[in-house]
């Protein structure tokens, strides 16, 4: 497929975080872009503001006639779209080029120097740090991010087309469409067992991904993973390792030992050892690419984070409100570690919305263990996303397994009252569903009081 001969690109599921980044990319490359999504969101509103035509009803008659010519229109869809989707089937039945998001990402990046970030946790933050570091070093790059960067207020960094930075997503094995020059694997914890069946199959797919590297490519792996590559870790014997960690004014100050020398007194402003690990691997990839230490130090110090990744919503002496996308037990534990490190003497209330019935079922005991660590817990109903309910799999079942005296199941309508009734000085919202809409309500309510 020759992307140069494509004049129009139509997206089914355009509001998805990965889809919208590609939509922005094509618009910036002077293509006409439109799409469908089932829900109007801040992301779809921002795409409309850029001039894209977006509608929210599955109806081919709502698609602009200009997009109904198969010779000049490419159709991109997300695997989350149901198989009986009317628009998707129209395009498939009428001779259009119809490709998954991962395939188009593979096409866009195959003629670039591609740096790909894989792993069950940390992809989005690592990708956005790496994109920011390379951009600070004036590398001509396009970075496709799985979240909205606070530095760029976008999920796309566009400063040229020679280099690409992408998230390599293991969901649906879609990362096997990429052929990176550099790749890193941050973690291989069990997840997406609704797709893979068991953890062994998931690990096999990561091995297959590592074999997608170009012949002279470099693989970076977190120390301890069962793969050969350039290793990275915190206070250990890795090829790239963080040493001499201090906390000053809520920021990490640390040194990085590289295979050749040591970079001293780097500053990084995101809390949590998991984020320090993400910063390290992004730094390692940028060093191996050829960036200067001085520019990399500036890039790390100016990195502001990704929305919904330990995002401060309210930060005063008396009250702190943080929002995070964590939706896997390991991620929840990482958020807990970060908040305890920053606020060791304050009570912490976690508000969690489980994401997917299958994930809740598969990791029920691990979820209970990670959620038990907080001082108080408010639990919302499970967000179904693409799934139908599974009998017996409920938030109430999860609540019963949590070892915490201060725990309760709440509806969204009861949420603000429940927070008011808490004595916690630090409030966390965590989850990957539609809990983001509650974040605005909580922020408005408690901003007025502080």
């Amino acid at each position: 497929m020759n992307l140069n001969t494509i004049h129009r690109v139509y997206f089914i599921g355009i509001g998805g975080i990965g889809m919208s980044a590609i939509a922005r990319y094509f618009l910036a490359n002077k293509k006409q872009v439109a799409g469908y999504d089932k829900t109007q969101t801040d992301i779809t509103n921002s795409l409309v503001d850029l001039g894209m035509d977006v509608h929210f009803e599955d109806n081919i008659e709502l698609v602009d006639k200009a997009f109904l010519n198969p010779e000049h229109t490419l159709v991109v869809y997300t695997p989350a779209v149901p198989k009986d989707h009317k628009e998707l089937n129209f395009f498939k039945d009428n001779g259009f080029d119809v490709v998954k998001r991962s395939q188009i990402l593979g096409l866009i990046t195959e003629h670039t120097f591609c740096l790909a970030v894989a792993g069950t946790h940390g992809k989005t933050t690592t990708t956005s740090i790496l994109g920011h570091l390379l951009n600070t070093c004036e590398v001509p790059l396009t970075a496709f991010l799985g979240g909205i960067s606070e530095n760029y207020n976008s999920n796309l960094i566009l400063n040229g087309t020679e280099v690409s930075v992408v998230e390599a997503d293991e969901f649906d094995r879609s990362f096997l469409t990429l052929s990176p020059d550099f790749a890193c694997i941050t973690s291989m914890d069990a997840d997406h067992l609704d797709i893979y069946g068991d953890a062994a199959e998931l690990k096999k797919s990561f091995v297959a991904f590592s074999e997608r590297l170009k012949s002279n490519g470099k693989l970076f792996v977190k120390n301890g993973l069962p793969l050969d590559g350039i290793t990275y870790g915190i206070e250990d014997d890795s090829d790239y390792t963080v040493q001499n960690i201090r906390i000053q004014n809520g920021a990490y100050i640390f040194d990085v030992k590289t295979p050749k020398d040591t970079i001293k007194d780097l500053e990084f402003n995101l809390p949590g050892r998991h984020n320090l690990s993400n910063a390290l691997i992004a730094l390692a990839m940028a060093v191996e690419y050829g960036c200067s230490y001085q520019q990399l130090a500036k890039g790390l110090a100016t990195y502001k984070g990704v929305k919904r990744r330990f995002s401060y919503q309210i930060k005063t002496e008396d009250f702190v409100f943080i929002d995070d996308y964590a939706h896997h037990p390991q991620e929840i534990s990482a958020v807990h570690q970060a908040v305890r490190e920053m606020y060791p003497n304050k009570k912490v209330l976690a508000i969690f919305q489980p994401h997917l019935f299958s994930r809740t079922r598969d990791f029920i005991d691990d979820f209970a263990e990670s959620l038990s660590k907080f001082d108080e817990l408010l639990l919302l109903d499970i967000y179904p996303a693409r799934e139908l309910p599974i009998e017996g799999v409920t938030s109430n079942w999860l609540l019963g397994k949590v070892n915490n005296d201060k725990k309760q199941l709440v509806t969204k309508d009861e949420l603000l009252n429940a927070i008011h009734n808490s004595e916690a000085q630090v409030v966390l919202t965590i989850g990957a569903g539609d809990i983001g809409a509650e974040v605005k309500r909580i922020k408005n309510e408690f901003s007025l009081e502080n």
Side-chain angles (χ1 to χ4, degrees):
M1 186 188 303
N2 184 353
L3 295 180
N4 294 326
T5 64
I6 300 291
H7 303 313
R8 297 175 188 88
V9 189
Y10 187 79
F11 289 83
I12 301 175
I14 196 168
I17 195 72
M19 292 280 277
S20 57
I22 300 172
R24 288 173 187 268
Y25 168 82
F26 278 121
L27 190 72
N29 281 278
K30 306 292 188 288
K31 310 291 187 190
Q32 193 178 345
V33 180
Y36 155 89
D37 206 277
K38 67 177 180 180
T39 311
Q40 185 174 354
T41 61
D42 289 345
I43 289 177
T44 60
N45 290 343
S46 68
L47 298 180
V48 170
D49 289 344
L50 289 170
M52 299 183 208
D53 182 24
V54 181
H55 63 265
F56 305 97
E57 182 189 335
D58 178 13
N59 184 348
I60 198 68
E61 290 181 11
L62 297 176
V63 180
D64 187 315
K65 296 288 189 289
F67 288 85
L68 299 180
N69 179 349
E71 286 183 27
H72 300 299
T73 299
L74 172 67
V75 178
V76 183
Y77 73 101
T78 168
V81 171
K83 290 188 168 48
D84 61 354
H85 195 276
K86 297 188 192 89
E87 290 184 17
L88 178 61
N89 285 308
F90 171 86
F91 289 117
K92 281 184 172 177
D93 294 341
N94 286 278
F96 286 79
D97 276 323
V98 180
V99 296
K100 284 185 186 176
R101 177 183 72 88
S102 56
Q103 291 169 285
I104 203 65
L105 208 50
L107 279 170
I108 291 169
T109 59
E110 71 179 352
H111 299 301
T112 68
F113 189 98
C114 179
L115 298 93
V117 177
T120 41
H121 321 299
K123 284 190 296 291
T124 297
T125 300
T126 303
T127 307
S128 70
I129 299 170
L130 180 56
H132 178 63
L133 291 180
L134 295 177
N135 196 52
T136 304
C137 297
E138 298 176 351
V139 172
L141 89 157
T142 304
F144 298 91
L145 311 179
I148 304 295
S149 160
E150 299 277 12
N151 287 83
Y152 305 93
N153 196 32
S154 178
N155 50 357
L156 181 72
I157 305 172
L158 192 55
N159 185 33
T161 55
E162 288 177 31
V163 174
S164 59
V165 175
V166 296
E167 274 187 45
D169 191 359
E170 74 282 358
F171 174 74
D172 199 32
R173 296 180 173 82
S174 61
F175 59 1
L176 300 182
T177 60
L178 298 170
S179 303
D181 296 87
F182 285 7
C184 78
I185 297 175
T186 63
S187 51
M188 288 163 49
D189 294 312
D191 198 4
H192 303 302
L193 298 186
D194 54 326
I195 302 290
Y196 284 95
D198 62 38
E201 284 300 310
L202 179 69
K203 284 182 179 171
K204 275 189 204 170
S205 75
F206 277 107
V207 171
F209 169 69
S210 70
E211 292 166 352
R212 298 281 307 167
L213 268 177
K214 289 178 186 161
S215 57
N216 58 346
K218 293 181 181 180
L219 180 67
F220 301 75
V221 294
K222 188 162 190 179
N223 200 355
L225 292 180
L227 288 166
D228 293 328
I230 299 167
T231 57
Y232 72 98
I234 294 179
E235 295 174 330
D236 61 11
D237 60 351
S238 300
D239 299 315
Y240 283 83
T241 179
V242 168
Q243 306 283 354
N244 193 21
I245 302 167
R246 295 90 77 200
I247 293 177
Q248 295 176 11
N249 302 321
Y252 286 118
I253 309 294
F254 57 96
D255 305 335
V256 169
K257 186 176 79 63
T258 78
K260 294 179 180 172
D261 43 34
T262 299
I263 315 172
K264 296 236 179 229
D265 298 327
L266 292 165
E267 177 187 336
F268 187 64
N269 288 287
L270 252 61
R273 292 292 177 106
H274 61 300
N275 282 322
L276 198 52
S277 179
N278 295 335
L280 173 63
I281 181 50
L283 182 84
M285 292 175 86
V287 166
E288 295 286 334
Y289 181 76
C291 292
S292 81
Y293 291 172
Q294 190 176 2
Q295 285 176 302
L296 288 174
K298 178 186 169 190
L300 267 190
T302 56
Y303 177 74
K304 294 178 184 174
V306 177
K307 286 182 182 172
R308 299 220 64 225
R309 305 302 197 282
F310 214 91
S311 296
Y312 282 101
Q313 304 295 314
I314 301 172
K315 193 177 185 182
T316 67
E317 282 295 313
D318 304 320
F319 187 78
V320 175
F321 173 33
I322 297 162
D323 178 43
D324 196 277
Y325 185 72
H327 55 284
H328 183 283
Q330 295 281 60
E331 294 165 353
I332 294 169
S333 294
V335 169
H336 175 265
Q337 183 275 324
V339 82
R340 291 294 188 206
E341 189 173 47
M342 290 299 149
Y343 302 102
N345 302 314
K346 295 195 173 182
K347 284 189 177 171
V348 182
L349 165 66
I351 303 160
F352 179 53
Q353 181 190 45
H355 184 262
L356 296 180
F357 296 103
S358 60
R359 185 183 280 125
T360 305
R361 176 199 61 202
D362 293 340
F363 302 107
I364 187 78
D365 291 328
D366 295 330
F367 273 122
E369 184 183 343
S370 61
L371 292 168
S372 297
K373 295 174 182 176
F374 298 97
D375 298 305
E376 298 179 39
L377 173 67
L378 298 177
L379 198 57
L380 293 166
D381 280 335
I382 297 170
Y383 182 76
R386 57 187 178 267
E387 291 184 337
L388 294 171
I390 298 172
E391 189 176 347
V393 179
T394 64
S395 286
N396 203 37
W397 179 42
L398 172 57
L399 191 76
K401 287 180 169 280
V402 172
N403 181 20
N404 190 324
D405 294 335
K406 294 190 172 179
K407 61 179 183 179
Q408 61 174 306
L409 196 60
V410 295
T411 65
K412 290 174 181 174
D413 290 340
E414 297 165 336
L415 196 50
L416 293 180
N417 271 343
I419 300 169
H420 277 295
N421 292 334
S422 166
E423 295 176 359
Q425 302 111 309
V426 180
V427 173
L428 282 171
T429 43
I430 44 184
D434 60 2
I435 194 170
E438 304 310 308
V439 171
K440 291 181 183 176
R441 289 177 58 221
I442 298 167
K443 185 175 182 178
N444 288 342
E445 178 87 2
F446 290 90
S447 293
L448 299 174
E449 299 184 5
N450 289 283

